Amino acid sequence: MSDLNKPTLGHWINGRRVVGETARRAAVFDPALGKATKEVVLADATEAAAAVEAARLAYEGWSQLSAARRQTVVFRFRELLNSRKEELARIITGEHGKAVSDAAAEVQRGLEVVDLATAFPHLTSGRYAQNVSTGVDVHSVRQPLGVVAVISPFNFPAMVPLWFAPIAIAVGNTVVLKPSERVPSAAIWLAELWKAAGLPDGVFNVLQGDRVAVETLLNHPDVQAVSFVGSTPVARSIYESAARVGKRVQAFGGAKNHMLVLADADLDAAADQAVSGGFGSAGERCMAISVVLAEESIADELNARIQERAATLRVGDGRTDPDLGPLITRQHRDRVASYIDIAERDGATVLVDGRHCRVDGHENGFWLGPTLLDRVPTASKAYEDEIFGPVLAVVRVKDLDEGLRLINSSQFGNGTAIFTNDGRAARRFEREVQVGMVGVNVPVPVPVAYFAFGGWKDSLLGDAPAYGPEGFAFFTRHKAVTSRWVTSTTGSLTMAFPGND
Ligand code: NAD
C-alpha cells in the first residue's frame, strides 16, 4: 500500500522515470535511523515486460552503432562518474548504511570496470588466419547478445551493477538492471548519468522489484543472458531456471572466507588485516573475512591483538564516516546476533561481544558491534553458514595441512588468504586451495578489473566470472568465418569432410 507521505521511487524505462501502475510497494530504510524514508515500487509482470521491450527496441540501433561512437559514450560516462562519485557515495550510505568513505571506495572499484570497458574494441576483436587450406582464410568475431538482465544484491548498490553493465553496453547489448529493493536509488542515479553521457534511451533500463520482476526476466524469451549476484540459494535457483530455458547465465552466490595465519606471520599486520577484512563494511561483503584459522602457538597473541584493535573501532551513522555502519535491516541484524548466540551455545568463547552495541542519538538503528569468537567448533552452524555481519570466528589449527583441509571442505570458495613469511608455504597454499580468489598477506583479494572476479563451488554457479577478459566473453557470442574466394569451382566437387589440402 502506498504511503503518501514518503517519496516513491520508480523504474527507469526507455530513458525516463516511470512510477508504474503496480500497487505493490516496499519500504526503503535508512538503517542508521532505523526508519523508512521512501518507498520503492515492485514491478508486476507487465512492467517487467515493458522494460525488456524498451531494451529490445533499442538493441538494433545501439548494436549497429560504430565501435568509436559507443566508445565515446562510455568515455563520457566514465568522466561524469569520476567527477560526481561523492554524490553517489552519499546516496549509497543513505540506504545501505556503510561509511561514506567505504561507499566512495565501492564506487571507485566500479569505476575501474568502466575504465576497462572503454577498451572493448581491443578486448573483443577477433583473430585471423590466412590460407588455412589452399585459398581458404578463417577469421573470428565477437558479437553482442541482445537484451541482458543484471540482478544485483543490497551490499554493493553501485559496484555490482558496474561489474556488468558498462561491459555489456560497450560491446553493443542493451540492459535491464534489477537492483535490490533495499537499495534502489543508486541504480536510478546511474541511469540518469548514462543518459547525460549520451546513451540512447532504452539501452540501460532499471526495473525495481522483487522475485516477481526476476521471474519475468528469467522467463522472457527476449532476455538472452542473466548476470545474478546474491545469496547461494537464490543464485542456484536462478542458475537452474535460466539454464533450463537456454539462457546464458552467471550466478554469484554467498561466501565464507577463511584467513589462515601461520606462526611465522607478522602478527600486527595479520591483526590489522583481520580487523579490516572482517569488520569493514560491517562484514557485509562477499569477500569479508569471517573465519581466522590461527596456528595454535600464536592464537592467543593474535586474539589479543585483534581485541586491542576492535576496542578502538567506532560504530555509527555512515554519514559521519565511522569504522562500521549499521546492518541493512533489523531482521538481518537479529539474524547475525543469533549466530553469536549459536556459537556461544556450541562452546565458543565470546572475546568481543557486539550484541549490545548502541549509538547515541540513533536508538532505532540496526546496530551490531564488532564481535570476536574464539574456539568456534567447526561443527557449529556459526562456523559453517555465511553470517554476513561483523563477526570473526577464530578456529585454532595445528598447521598448514589442517588449515587447507578446513578451507577446502567448505561449501563456498569465494576468497581466502594466507598470512606468512614462508614463501614455500604460501606457494603450496596458492596451488592447493580450492578457492577462486586467493590473497597472500592480502585479506580481501578482489582482483583489479583486468583480472576476472569469481569464486568456486557454491560461490559461483556456472563457469563465467565477472569482468576481466572473461567478462567480455560472457557478453558476446563467438562466430568463426571460413572463406574462400575462387574464380571457378569446376572440377572441385568432393563429398569428403573438408580437410587441409
Ligand atoms: P539476495 O539473494 O537476497 O538478493 C539478491 C537479488 O535477488 C536481489 O535483487 C533480490 O531482489 C533478488 N531476490 C531475492 N530473493 C529472490 C527470489 N526468491 N527469487 C528471485 N530473486 C530474488 O541477496 P542479498 O541479501 O541482497 O545480498 C547478500 C548476498 O549476496 C550474500 O549472500 C553475499 O555473499 C552475496 N554476494 C555475493 C557476491 C559474489 O561475488 N559472490 C557479491 C556480493 C554479494
Side-chain angles (χ1 to χ4, degrees), residues 150-156 159-160 163-164 178-183 209-215 218 228-235 237-238 251-257 284-287 328 332 386 388 412 414 437 453-455 458-460 466:
V150 176
I151 301 157
S152 53
F154 81 82
N155 66 324
F156 286 110
M159 185 184 79
V160 168
W163 281 356
F164 306 105
K178 207 300 286 169
S180 164
E181 61 275 41
R182 296 178 201 144
V183 291
D210 55 9
R211 127 181 238 166
V212 175
V214 172
E215 279 166 7
L218 288 176
F228 171 87
V229 183
S231 55
T232 292
V234 184
S237 113
I238 301 256
F252 297 77
K256 187 86 186 178
N257 306 312
E284 289 175 327
R285 292 181 181 138
C286 64
M287 290 289 279
I328 186 69
H332 184 58
E386 177 177 47
F388 222 56
F412 301 108
N414 216 37
M437 293 172 280
F453 176 106
D458 283 357
S459 297
L460 172 58

Side-chain angles (χ1 to χ4, degrees), residues 90-249:
R90 281 193 299 276
I91 290 172
I92 294 169
T93 295
E95 290 178 359
H96 177 286
K98 65 176 77 173
V100 72
S101 60
D102 190 30
E106 147 176 12
V107 176
Q108 192 60 40
R109 292 309 302 257
L111 194 55
E112 271 182 27
V113 183
V114 188
D115 290 345
L116 179 75
T118 63
F120 77 90
H122 170 66
L123 286 158
T124 50
S125 54
R127 297 190 298 131
Y128 179 81
Q130 201 173 54
N131 222 29
V132 296
S133 182
T134 307
V136 177
D137 306 328
V138 179
H139 71 270
S140 63
V141 289
R142 298 210 72 103
Q143 296 184 324
L145 307 174
V147 179
V148 302
V150 176
I151 301 157
S152 53
F154 81 82
N155 66 324
F156 286 110
M159 185 184 79
V160 168
L162 290 171
W163 281 356
F164 306 105
I167 293 176
I169 288 173
V171 302
N173 300 288
T174 56
V175 173
V176 178
L177 165 65
K178 207 300 286 169
S180 164
E181 61 275 41
R182 296 178 201 144
V183 291
S185 296
I188 297 291
W189 189 91
L190 288 170
E192 286 176 337
L193 205 73
W194 275 115
K195 188 170 172 105
L199 192 73
D201 292 347
V203 176
F204 181 73
N205 305 278
V206 177
L207 183 69
Q208 307 288 8
D210 55 9
R211 127 181 238 166
V212 175
V214 172
E215 279 166 7
T216 309
L217 293 173
L218 288 176
N219 291 314
H220 199 297
D222 290 329
V223 172
Q224 303 297 327
V226 179
S227 299
F228 171 87
V229 183
S231 55
T232 292
V234 184
R236 188 181 305 287
S237 113
I238 301 256
Y239 181 69
E240 290 172 359
S241 314
R244 197 173 304 120
V245 292
K247 293 193 197 312
R248 189 175 287 208
V249 53

Side-chain angles (χ1 to χ4, degrees), residues 146-426:
V147 179
V148 302
V150 176
I151 301 157
S152 53
F154 81 82
N155 66 324
F156 286 110
M159 185 184 79
V160 168
L162 290 171
W163 281 356
F164 306 105
I167 293 176
I169 288 173
V171 302
N173 300 288
T174 56
V175 173
V176 178
L177 165 65
K178 207 300 286 169
S180 164
E181 61 275 41
R182 296 178 201 144
V183 291
S185 296
I188 297 291
W189 189 91
L190 288 170
E192 286 176 337
L193 205 73
W194 275 115
K195 188 170 172 105
L199 192 73
D201 292 347
V203 176
F204 181 73
N205 305 278
V206 177
L207 183 69
Q208 307 288 8
D210 55 9
R211 127 181 238 166
V212 175
V214 172
E215 279 166 7
T216 309
L217 293 173
L218 288 176
N219 291 314
H220 199 297
D222 290 329
V223 172
Q224 303 297 327
V226 179
S227 299
F228 171 87
V229 183
S231 55
T232 292
V234 184
R236 188 181 305 287
S237 113
I238 301 256
Y239 181 69
E240 290 172 359
S241 314
R244 197 173 304 120
V245 292
K247 293 193 197 312
R248 189 175 287 208
V249 53
Q250 50 185 176
F252 297 77
K256 187 86 186 178
N257 306 312
H258 298 64
M259 157 176 173
L260 173 59
V261 184
L262 298 188
D264 72 322
D266 176 331
L267 291 191
D268 278 320
D272 284 343
Q273 306 296 359
V275 168
S276 68
F279 303 140
S281 206
E284 289 175 327
R285 292 181 181 138
C286 64
M287 290 289 279
I289 296 293
S290 46
V291 177
V292 177
L293 300 172
E295 264 195 307
E296 184 63 61
S297 62
I298 49 95
D300 287 335
E301 188 52 37
L302 182 63
N303 279 340
R305 294 186 199 198
I306 294 176
Q307 262 177 284
E308 218 172 81
R309 286 158 175 79
T312 68
L313 298 179
R314 198 167 57 86
V315 181
D317 186 325
R319 284 163 284 244
T320 65
D321 211 25
D323 297 302
L324 281 80
L327 293 184
I328 186 69
T329 58
R330 184 173 306 285
Q331 294 84 332
H332 184 58
R333 184 251 163 238
D334 291 348
R335 182 176 173 275
V336 174
S338 77
Y339 274 107
I340 306 172
D341 303 341
I342 291 172
E344 204 172 20
R345 212 167 45 232
D346 289 345
T349 312
V350 183
L351 294 178
V352 180
D353 191 345
R355 283 175 288 192
H356 308 292
C357 173
R358 298 278 174 277
V359 173
D360 286 345
H362 289 69
E363 279 67 26
N364 296 321
F366 309 141
W367 308 112
L368 195 104
T371 298
L372 181 65
L373 307 170
D374 189 21
R375 299 183 188 277
V376 178
T378 55
S380 171
K381 285 266 166 224
Y383 171 78
E384 288 174 343
D385 293 358
E386 177 177 47
I387 296 178
F388 222 56
V391 179
L392 270 179
V394 176
V395 174
R396 292 154 183 253
V397 293
K398 217 165 61 242
D399 52 17
L400 171 62
D401 283 332
E402 190 183 359
L404 269 170
R405 189 177 52 71
L406 282 176
I407 298 171
N408 289 346
S409 55
S410 169
Q411 77 176 102
F412 301 108
N414 216 37
T416 189
I418 184 168
F419 281 75
T420 181
N421 282 308
D422 178 347
R424 271 184 315 173

